[in-house]
Structures are given as C-alpha cells and as structure tokens.
Amino acid sequence: MSVRVQLEDFDVAAELRALRLASAEIGAVVSFVGQVRDINDGDDVQTLTLEHYPEMTTRALEKITQEAQSRWDIHDSLIIHRVGTLKPQDQIVLVAVTSQHRGEAFKACEFMMDYLKTQAPFWKKEATSQGERWVDAKLSDDEAQARWESE
Amino acid sequence: MSVRVQLEDFDVAAELRALRLASAEIGAVVSFVGQVRDINDGDDVQTLTLEHYPEMTTRALEKITQEAQSRWDIHDSLIIHRVGTLKPQDQIVLVAVTSQHRGEAFKACEFMMDYLKTQAPFWKKEATSQGERWVDAKLSDDEAQARWESE
Amino acid sequence: MNIKVLYFARIKESVNYSTEDLVLPTGVTTVTALKNHLAERGGTWATLFDGQQMVRAAINHELVENMAPISEGDEVAFFPPVTGG
Amino acid sequence: MNIKVLYFARIKESVNYSTEDLVLPTGVTTVTALKNHLAERGGTWATLFDGQQMVRAAINHELVENMAPISEGDEVAFFPPVTGG
C-alpha cells in the first residue's frame, strides 16, 4: 500500500511485476497510466507543470488508498504521481491494484483515480502557443467521484 | 485493435508503451494482467494447461474488441492470451485499452475481460496434488458479463 | 447432410476423440436435434447430451443457442462453458 | 489566535506570495470567517475571497468545508479545485 510523489519518470513494468510477484494468491493486476496529452481545450500543449502541496499530498493519497482497502478485498495497491515539468506523452500517474479476482481490482483502481482527481492537492499549468494557463477542474471529475459516494 | 493467442509469455511494459506512444491524444491506459494463482478451490495448483479452439478463438476475441469499440470512444485495444502449460505466477492474459479520458478505458477494459471470460473458447485444466481436473466455469463470471447486457 | 463435429476439453476426453465427420439423418437440422441424435448412441454420449450437462455449441466458429439451424458442410463444435482469462 | 496561511496555484500567483503568518481577530474562528477577513483587504483579496470563486481549503493537511473551525497554531491552505492525475 505505497504512495510516491516524484520528479522522475517511473517504470511501469518493474512496478507491476513487483506487485504481481508479491504473492501467488494474486490473480488480477489492474493498472491505470496517465500520459500528458498534446491538445487540451483545443490548444496545443507544449509543457505541463504540476505543482502540489507536499505535506498534504502524501496524506491525501494514503487516505485514498486506505478507503479503497476498506471497501474492497484487494491485496495491494500503488500510486505514483509525478510533479514538475512534463511534456506531451510523458507519464504523469500510475495507479495499480492487485487482488485475487478481477472485479475488486477494477473497482478499486477506478475509485482511486476518481478520488485522486478530486481530492489530491495537485494543480496543472499548461504552456501552450497561446501562453501559460492553469488547467480548470472538470465537472466530469466531480461527477465520477460522486458515483462512489452512494455505494 | 489486435488480438494474439500464443504459447510464449508477453512483455507488459513493451506492449503498454507501444499503445501509449501511438498517439499524443491518448491520456489514459488501463490494463488488466491475469496471473496463475497457486490455490484454487482449496487445492494447490502445480500447473495450469489452457486448451482452446484456434479457429474460433481469434474470431471471438475480435468480436469482443469490436463490441467494445462500438460502445466506447476508445483509441486502441490489445488482447494477448496464452495457451499451453503454465505455472503459478505466470502471466495468462493481458487486456489493455487506450483512450483520451479514463472513464472509457476503464469500462472497455473491464467489459473485454468479462466477455473474454464467458465468450472466448479457452478451457483450463489444473494439475494439483489431488490429480488433474478441469476448472469449472463460475457463475460470478456469467453475472459479471450480464451486467453489460442491460447497458 | 454432411457435417463435421468437434469436441473440446472435458467433452473431448469423455468421448475420447476430438473430431468426426457425420452424415445426419433427415430431420436433424438444429443443435438440439443433433444433441439428441448423439445421445441415442447411449453410454457416455447419453450422459453428455441428455440435457443434464451444460454443453455449449458453436457453428462455424460462432457461439450459438440450441435452436440454431445446422446446414450442409457446417463445422459444429461442442464444449463445456469456457474458463479462460 | 496565531495561524499560518498557505496559498497554491492560481491563488498563490494572484496574491503574489505563498505563505504568511496571521494573527486573527477574535471571532475569526472558521474558514468562512477567515475568507471574509481576507476579502476585507480589498483588491485581489476581495476578488478571490468574496465567495464568487471556488476556493478550497485545507486545515493541517486535510480538506475541509467552509464551516470547519480554526484553532491556534493551525496551518490553513487555500487553493483552487485540484487538477492532478
């Protein structure tokens, strides 16, 4: 159940392999990798800079992890989120969950992403050909999170 | 939109990387990796042998892929399924989906796994310390597939 | 009507072979009728195809229901519920 | 009451600094009261904290609602809705 916030890129293969091989009880590994898109709201994105609130970030990600663990029978989970300046097609985030059976891992992984999007203190600033701008939060992310509240 | 059935293991990292780097429009990569568990129905599993119906398998997996593509706005998908004799902690299956936004990729990936479990002609035979036995289909897999019928 | 029949997994082991060519009598034109026709062989065949066991069928590589019609030259496959993934 | 206030992202850029130590007047004991207190500075502060903009708050590294109470020594952070992932 670990969370990491880092400037460096991450190695999805090594992470998934370590999670998977941790136990022969694990039947399912579900993962999400987010990458920087080159277009947002119609403009070309040259770089994306992620700011965060370090003392709060780790705590928020750990809370999300604990909540997922309390809701589903999962074996382990991992969140890696990058900060600093990224460019299109760089990896931003990895969320991976292992479980005996696939249903739990799928749900927990999507839950963790939906909560991360609305609860973890990260902010994106884009440099486009039109200049720099902060990325606006999306209503669809609030809606995605709200789905889990009634479960 | 490719499907592969093979004896050999697969390299998750290389597959995910190729899918992700195919386009800078891709924001999300959701993947499922299945691994052989060492216990099933209370007995220790020594090896797991997968039989299939080759002429039908590829067709079934392609149909599942097309159905996912028609339901969600996804960029690409990949199914790799192994056959032959595997041992605990070997990888069995990879399903990966890329899309602009995460919701579509999560749904399509889980849909593809649920359909694969009930529609693709693979059969598992376990060798345990109690002898060999064919694995029984699980009602929970039928139920997982049925959820999508009403959507 | 001439067809080819394939058996897989547990069913293949029960009948001891994986494929046979069959000439169907008039009237055997659906999956159900073919199952009944095979059950008439008795023994293992009766046990497999008397409707008590879950036997799935495919015609020409497509999963089909029991009512599905069989045509000249079809490849009909019988197998247990699938367990991949 | 002495507290520390932190600003992030768009809000940090608007106010031109990232942190300040504040001595709160009696009666300023909730997030809403603190926002109103900051809005009284006028200009950018009024624009940010008059309730028209979505400003989220955390106390001691936990997301909180506007009604949340503030205590001596708290670290209060203000920031726009988050956009990670």
Side-chain angles (χ1 to χ4, degrees):
Chain A
M1 300 284 167
S2 57
V3 305
R4 307 209 294 267
V5 179
Q6 61 189 46
L7 286 164
E8 310 78 50
D9 198 8
F10 47 81
D11 179 345
V12 175
E15 302 297 347
L16 295 189
R17 191 178 155 80
L19 284 171
R20 180 170 72 75
L21 295 181
S23 165
E25 285 180 14
I26 293 169
V29 186
V30 173
S31 69
F32 174 87
V33 176
Q35 85 170 350
V36 180
R37 295 169 57 218
D38 65 351
I39 301 273
N40 193 28
D41 289 335
D43 292 314
D44 64 301
V45 175
Q46 287 152 357
T47 63
L48 183 72
T49 300
L50 279 134
E51 175 177 333
H52 76 132
Y53 179 5
E55 297 83 353
M56 181 174 166
T57 312
T58 308
R59 187 171 182 142
L61 297 179
E62 283 170 351
K63 267 183 75 173
I64 291 167
T65 297
Q66 284 155 14
E67 180 66 23
Q69 208 180 347
S70 74
R71 288 187 180 216
W72 295 285
D73 185 14
I74 62 178
H75 186 88
D76 200 359
S77 73
L78 169 67
I79 301 176
I80 304 178
H81 202 297
R82 292 178 70 191
V83 291
T85 297
L86 307 177
K87 48 183 202 315
Q89 301 209 276
D90 280 351
Q91 303 184 124
I92 311 176
V93 61
L94 169 67
V95 175
V97 179
T98 54
S99 61
Q100 282 192 35
H101 303 292
R102 72 188 181 288
E104 283 82 0
F106 269 112
K107 284 203 191 62
C109 187
E110 189 168 12
F111 170 91
M112 289 170 73
M113 271 308 299
D114 288 344
Y115 271 67
L116 187 157
K117 281 270 181 184
T118 54
Q119 307 283 307
F122 294 102
W123 301 275
K124 286 178 181 148
K125 191 178 202 176
E126 294 171 339
T128 76
S129 51
Q130 311 298 306
E132 292 202 332
R133 65 185 183 199
W134 290 97
V135 173
D136 283 324
K138 287 190 292 184
L139 184 59
S140 60
D141 287 329
D142 289 330
E143 289 167 350
Q145 188 224 303
R147 289 180 306 158
W148 302 100
E149 301 285 345
S150 54
E151 291 219 342
Chain B
M1 299 285 168
S2 56
V3 306
R4 307 208 296 266
V5 179
Q6 61 190 44
L7 286 163
E8 309 79 49
D9 197 9
F10 46 82
D11 179 346
V12 176
E15 302 296 347
L16 295 189
R17 191 178 155 80
L19 283 171
R20 180 171 72 77
L21 295 181
S23 166
E25 283 180 15
I26 293 168
V29 186
V30 173
S31 69
F32 174 88
V33 175
Q35 86 170 350
V36 180
R37 296 169 56 219
D38 66 350
I39 302 271
N40 193 27
D41 289 335
D43 293 313
D44 63 303
V45 175
Q46 286 152 359
T47 63
L48 183 72
T49 301
L50 279 134
E51 175 178 334
H52 76 131
Y53 179 5
E55 297 83 353
M56 181 174 165
T57 312
T58 308
R59 187 171 182 143
L61 298 179
E62 283 171 352
K63 268 184 73 173
I64 291 167
T65 297
Q66 283 155 15
E67 180 67 21
Q69 209 180 346
S70 74
R71 288 187 181 215
W72 295 285
D73 185 15
I74 62 178
H75 186 87
D76 200 1
S77 73
L78 169 67
I79 301 176
I80 303 178
H81 202 297
R82 292 179 70 190
V83 290
T85 297
L86 308 177
K87 48 184 201 316
Q89 301 210 276
D90 279 351
Q91 303 185 123
I92 310 176
V93 60
L94 169 67
V95 174
V97 179
T98 55
S99 61
Q100 282 191 36
H101 304 292
R102 72 188 181 287
E104 285 81 359
F106 269 112
K107 284 203 189 63
C109 187
E110 190 168 13
F111 170 92
M112 290 171 72
M113 271 308 299
D114 287 345
Y115 271 68
L116 187 156
K117 282 269 183 185
T118 55
Q119 308 282 307
F122 295 101
W123 301 276
K124 286 178 182 148
K125 191 179 202 175
E126 294 172 340
T128 76
S129 51
Q130 311 298 307
E132 292 202 334
R133 65 184 182 200
W134 290 96
V135 174
D136 283 323
K138 286 189 293 183
L139 183 61
S140 60
D141 286 329
D142 289 330
E143 290 167 349
Q145 188 223 303
R147 289 179 307 158
W148 302 101
E149 302 286 346
S150 54
E151 291 221 342
Chain C
M1 178 160 68
N2 295 280
I3 64 164
K4 186 173 187 178
V5 186
L6 275 65
Y7 307 98
F8 289 95
R10 200 194 307 249
I11 294 176
K12 176 177 67 181
E13 290 188 353
S14 299
V15 306
N16 260 321
Y17 51 87
S18 63
T19 180
E20 63 180 313
D21 293 314
L22 275 188
V23 182
L24 297 185
T26 315
V28 178
T29 58
T30 65
V31 170
T32 299
L34 175 56
K35 284 182 174 175
N36 291 338
H37 178 64
L38 292 170
E40 285 167 11
R41 293 174 172 176
T44 301
W45 296 94
T47 312
L48 282 172
F49 292 106
D50 68 355
Q52 300 301 302
Q53 288 198 31
M54 183 84 91
V55 175
R56 300 245 191 254
I59 297 180
N60 301 330
H61 316 127
E62 295 277 358
L63 270 183
V64 294
E65 299 299 323
N66 280 326
M67 310 80 88
I70 298 175
S71 308
E72 171 68 28
D74 277 355
E75 177 173 312
V76 182
F78 289 114
F79 43 78
V82 303
T83 57
Chain D
M1 178 161 66
N2 295 280
I3 64 166
K4 186 173 184 178
V5 186
L6 275 64
Y7 306 98
F8 289 95
R10 201 196 305 250
I11 293 175
K12 177 177 66 182
E13 289 188 354
S14 298
V15 306
N16 261 321
Y17 52 87
S18 63
T19 180
E20 63 181 313
D21 294 313
L22 275 188
V23 182
L24 298 185
T26 314
V28 178
T29 59
T30 66
V31 171
T32 299
L34 174 55
K35 284 182 176 177
N36 292 338
H37 178 63
L38 292 170
E40 284 167 13
R41 293 173 173 178
T44 300
W45 296 93
T47 312
L48 281 172
F49 292 105
D50 68 355
Q52 300 301 302
Q53 288 198 33
M54 183 83 93
V55 175
R56 301 244 190 255
I59 297 181
N60 300 330
H61 316 127
E62 294 276 359
L63 269 183
V64 295
E65 300 300 322
N66 279 326
M67 310 81 87
I70 298 175
S71 308
E72 171 68 28
D74 277 353
E75 177 174 310
V76 181
F78 289 114
F79 43 78
V82 303
T83 57

